[in-house]
């Protein structure tokens, strides 16, 4: 991250440094890569392990009853709390846990990236975090998001009209994944035809945690090169979108550093895509295998918002990460500086200490203090957008296809890593 | 009955104004704010309790009558 400078020249001058200043090699702290099958998740957990990817909930429940904080030597060392109260305590404790990186992998970003991080504000720590987040909040407040609802609904209808009449539809690949990509591309002012490129970036950044560092870095450079080009182009011809907004935005009376702008754009582009896609997909997956819940929602569409909260609780797509700032004993866990914390909101959401029938989907659950969108100062910036997209997608799906089931349960595949959702979801449509 | 959103605790999840739109509204950053002085009109008591029980941050206080 370069020092903040006062920009008095033309837009081209201001952003001239952006591209060439990208580091030419990965910086940070790399650890030895440990892969291979997991022995015991209590002492050797791996969130990319095959059994975790296939069905993490029994593993979480087991760890919660016997640990309740699991440990691993993988990824250079990390901890996995499974109780709601522990997840909450760490989410709130920005003094001792840093967001310098929120993706647990084999490389820790250099310490000098804090408190800004690579993708502010998700990667930022207080006090910098507050201002970086504050300037984005109005664009993601419910009043602003409500304006996007009609367009989102029209797009969902368009996607489903196109597959109307088919016997089998891939609800993940042909429906869910397209929705957030279109919405965020429009918000940022990126060409809609670049959608395939964005899905590639998502895959590289969030699912490639075990790739060799050099390869991962090369893929990141592709993303930042794309964003640099968009920034330069928007700086030359400003318009009413989030990219132009960020170029003009000020914090503490100064324009944002170009790297701050690019990092925030990377966040906005990537964070909402596979997360929302996952929430929509998991919801359809659940309804496809639970006819009673599906029939109830078809009969009573007003229940969709309540049901959506329950599906977000039970199948929360997002797990975050933190880095321990200094060696300490945390509730009996000997944490070392730069140990990871895998902050599992999905595990917290299934804690029977907070939820009755925590392991069951209760489609009309009225008391639902879930934390699918996180807790504390890093509450998902896009939660209002995500909720709108998931609700509209489910309403559109149920209106088009009131009767459906899994075409082949064994053919469903789930994403590895910290964002969990179906990536192939063949649904049999009854007619 | 009266409700109040403690602004230092609220993180803008928006559950209160989604569940009890007669009692809460979003401010310009999406944080929840009680409407007026937070007095709960007759018939809104259940909505008020529901908002309290669904706040992920436990940011809402409720003052029961008497």
């Amino acid at each position: 991250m370069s020092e903040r400078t006062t920009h008095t020249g033309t837009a081209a001058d201001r952003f001239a440094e952006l591209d060439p200043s990208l580091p030419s090699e990965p910086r940070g702290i790399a650890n030895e890569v440990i892969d291979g099958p997991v022995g015991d998740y209590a002492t050797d957990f791996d969130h990319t392990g095959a059994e975790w990817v296939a069905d993490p909930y029994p593993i979480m429940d087991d760890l919660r009853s016997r640990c309740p904080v699991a440990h691993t030597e993988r990824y250079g060392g990390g901890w996995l709390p499974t109780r709601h109260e522990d997840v909450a305590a760490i989410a709130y404790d920005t003094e001792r846990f840093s967001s310098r990186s929120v993706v647990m992998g084999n490389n820790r970003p250099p310490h000098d990236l804090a408190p800004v991080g690579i993708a502010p504000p998700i990667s930022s720590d207080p006090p910098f975090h507050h201002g970086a987040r504050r300037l984005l909040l109005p664009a993601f407040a419910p009043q602003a998001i409500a304006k996007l609802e009609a367009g989102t609904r029209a797009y969902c209808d368009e996607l489903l009209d196109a597959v109307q009449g088919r016997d089998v539809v891939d609800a993940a690949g042909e429906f869910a994944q397209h929705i957030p990509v279109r919405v965020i591309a429009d918000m940022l002012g990126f060409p809609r035809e670049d959608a395939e490129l964005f899905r590639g970036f998502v895959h590289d950044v969030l699912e490639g945690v075990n790739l060799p560092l050099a390869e991962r870095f090369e893929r990141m450079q592709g993303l930042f090169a794309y964003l640099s080009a968009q920034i330069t182009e928007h700086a030359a011809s400003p318009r009413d979108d989030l990219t132009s907004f960020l170029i003009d935005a000020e914090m503490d009376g100064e324009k944002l550093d170009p790297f701050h702008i690019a990092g925030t754009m990377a966040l906005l582009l990537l964070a909402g895509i596979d997360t929302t896609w996952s929430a929509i997909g998991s919801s359809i997956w659940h309804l496809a295998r639970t006819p009673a819940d599906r029939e109830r929602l078809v009969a009573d569409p007003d229940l969709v918002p309540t049901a959506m909260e329950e599906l977000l609780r039970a199948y929360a797509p997002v797990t975050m990460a933190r880095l321990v700032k200094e060696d300490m004993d945390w509730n009996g866990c000997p944490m070392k500086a730069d140990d990871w914390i895998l902050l599992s909101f999905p595990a917290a959401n299934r804690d029977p200490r907070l939820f009755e029938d925590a392991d069951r989907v209760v489609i009309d659950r009225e008391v639902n203090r879930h934390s699918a969108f996180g807790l504390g100062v890093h509450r998902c910036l896009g939660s209002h957008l995500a909720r709108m997209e998931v609700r509209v997608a489910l309403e559109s799906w149920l209106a088009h296809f009131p009767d459906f089931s899994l075409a082949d349960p064994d053919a469903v595949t789930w994403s590895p890593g910290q964002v969990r959702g179906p990536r192939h979801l063949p649904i049999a449509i009854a007619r | 009955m009266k409700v109040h959103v403690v602004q230092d605790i609220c993180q803008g999840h928006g559950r209160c104004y989604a569940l009890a739109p007669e009692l809460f509204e979003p401010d310009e950053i999406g944080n929840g704010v009680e409407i007026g002085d937070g007095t709960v009109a007759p018939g809104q008591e259940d909505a008020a309790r529901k908002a309290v029980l669904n706040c992920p941050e436990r940011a809402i206080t409720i003052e029961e009558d008497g």
Side-chain angles (χ1 to χ4, degrees):
Chain A
M1 193 70 49
S2 65
E3 291 297 310
R4 182 171 301 175
T5 47
T6 306
H7 301 285
T8 49
T10 64
D13 292 341
R14 181 178 164 208
F15 295 109
E17 63 180 302
L18 190 56
D19 205 23
S21 301
L22 274 171
S24 55
E25 57 188 63
R27 295 169 65 227
I29 311 141
N31 57 263
E32 186 197 343
V33 177
I34 304 174
D35 47 21
V38 173
D40 179 354
Y41 269 81
T43 53
D44 184 32
F45 77 82
D46 186 350
H47 60 304
T48 67
E51 50 291 286
W52 183 271
V53 173
D55 187 7
Y57 306 115
I59 305 173
M60 292 171 183
D61 291 344
D62 174 55
L63 295 174
R64 200 184 298 107
S65 65
R66 70 187 170 106
C67 286
V69 182
H71 181 254
T72 191
E73 297 290 337
R74 293 168 194 255
Y75 306 102
W79 303 87
L80 169 62
T82 53
R83 284 185 188 169
H84 180 275
E85 64 177 282
D86 290 342
V87 170
I90 293 173
Y92 290 136
D93 190 349
T94 55
E95 285 294 308
R96 295 190 293 175
F97 300 94
S98 172
S99 290
R100 198 174 93 240
S101 174
V102 291
V103 181
M104 182 171 174
N106 289 307
N107 186 56
R108 287 150 175 79
H111 288 99
D112 61 15
L113 274 191
V116 180
I118 195 164
I122 200 173
S123 60
S124 311
D125 290 324
F128 176 86
H129 168 267
H130 177 81
R133 178 180 170 88
R134 176 66 182 78
L135 67 93
L136 294 168
L137 283 168
F140 288 89
Q143 306 89 311
I145 296 308
K147 295 179 188 146
L148 306 176
E149 181 165 335
T152 305
R153 190 178 302 277
Y155 185 56
C156 290
D157 289 344
E158 183 190 317
L159 289 169
L160 295 177
D161 288 346
V163 296
Q164 192 76 263
R166 292 242 305 269
D167 294 326
V168 176
V169 174
D170 179 357
E174 293 183 282
F175 181 57
Q177 71 163 319
H178 295 289
I179 300 161
V181 174
R182 164 66 67 93
V183 171
I184 200 65
D186 285 358
M187 287 178 83
L188 284 162
F190 294 175
R192 287 177 171 178
E193 56 271 22
D194 288 348
E196 196 54 46
L197 211 52
F198 307 151
R199 284 191 288 272
F201 294 145
V202 167
H203 185 267
D204 295 344
V205 172
L206 295 165
E207 294 184 14
V209 293
N210 261 332
L211 287 173
L213 188 55
E215 193 180 329
R216 207 158 173 237
F217 183 76
E218 201 178 295
R219 294 181 180 204
M220 294 278 210
Q221 282 188 311
L223 166 62
F224 276 88
Y226 180 87
L227 296 176
S228 304
Q230 286 296 333
I231 292 170
T232 310
E233 201 263 327
H234 276 76
S237 39
R239 38 208 191 255
D240 182 20
D241 58 32
L242 278 175
T243 301
S244 294
F245 167 80
L246 284 167
I247 290 170
D248 267 350
E250 294 188 356
M251 243 176 98
D252 306 323
E254 284 191 63
K255 297 264 197 236
L256 305 181
D257 179 290
F259 289 90
H260 180 161
I261 296 174
T264 295
M265 287 170 65
L267 168 65
L268 298 182
L269 178 63
L270 300 184
I273 292 183
D274 61 339
T275 50
T276 313
W277 159 17
S278 294
I280 296 168
S282 295
S283 299
I284 294 174
W285 174 79
H286 171 81
L287 296 175
R289 60 203 288 275
T290 320
D293 288 351
R294 174 178 54 74
E295 285 160 15
R296 188 148 174 214
L297 291 187
V298 170
D300 181 9
D302 289 347
L303 190 62
V304 168
T306 303
M308 175 178 78
E309 295 302 323
E310 175 65 347
L311 295 167
L312 284 166
R313 180 192 72 84
Y315 306 111
V318 181
T319 296
M320 277 288 117
R322 297 285 187 268
L323 285 164
V324 174
K325 284 193 184 171
E326 286 170 20
D327 292 2
M328 65 171 157
D329 177 281
W330 190 87
N331 288 359
C333 301
M335 294 182 175
K336 301 272 176 248
D338 274 348
D339 276 355
W340 294 104
I341 304 292
L342 195 60
L343 203 56
S344 176
F345 297 108
N349 279 352
R350 290 189 174 236
D351 185 347
R353 293 163 157 229
L354 189 65
F355 299 97
E356 270 178 56
D357 296 321
D359 58 349
R360 267 203 329 124
V361 171
V362 179
I363 205 75
D364 58 357
R365 190 185 290 270
E366 291 225 321
V367 176
N368 201 341
R369 196 172 255 151
H370 72 78
S371 46
F373 294 105
L375 290 167
V377 297
H378 286 283
R379 185 269 301 168
C380 171
L381 174 72
S383 68
H384 302 288
L385 174 61
R387 280 185 161 113
M388 183 276 286
E389 292 178 69
V390 176
R391 177 175 50 76
V392 167
L394 290 179
E395 288 167 350
S396 177
W397 178 277
L398 291 167
H400 279 79
F401 305 130
D403 188 0
F404 58 94
S405 57
L406 293 179
D408 175 4
D410 295 333
V412 178
T413 59
W414 297 84
S415 54
Q418 286 177 225
V419 180
R420 182 171 201 272
R423 290 296 172 266
H424 181 57
L425 181 58
I427 297 289
I429 309 291
R431 276 181 284 161
Chain B
M1 187 188 274
K2 252 182 153 174
V3 288
H4 171 62
V5 182
V6 182
Q7 290 302 316
D8 285 351
I9 302 177
C10 177
Q11 296 293 348
H13 293 259
R15 302 301 297 131
C16 58
Y17 49 76
L19 293 166
E22 321 260 328
L23 300 174
F24 303 94
E25 62 189 356
D27 68 9
E28 62 135 357
I29 59 169
N31 278 7
V33 187
E34 65 272 16
I35 294 172
D37 69 353
T39 299
V40 177
Q44 288 290 319
E45 294 88 349
D46 283 353
R49 291 192 190 97
K50 209 164 152 182
V52 171
L53 290 171
N54 279 281
C55 176
E57 309 287 349
R58 300 174 191 259
I60 307 173
T61 61
I62 191 162
E63 209 179 288
E64 299 274 353
D65 292 330

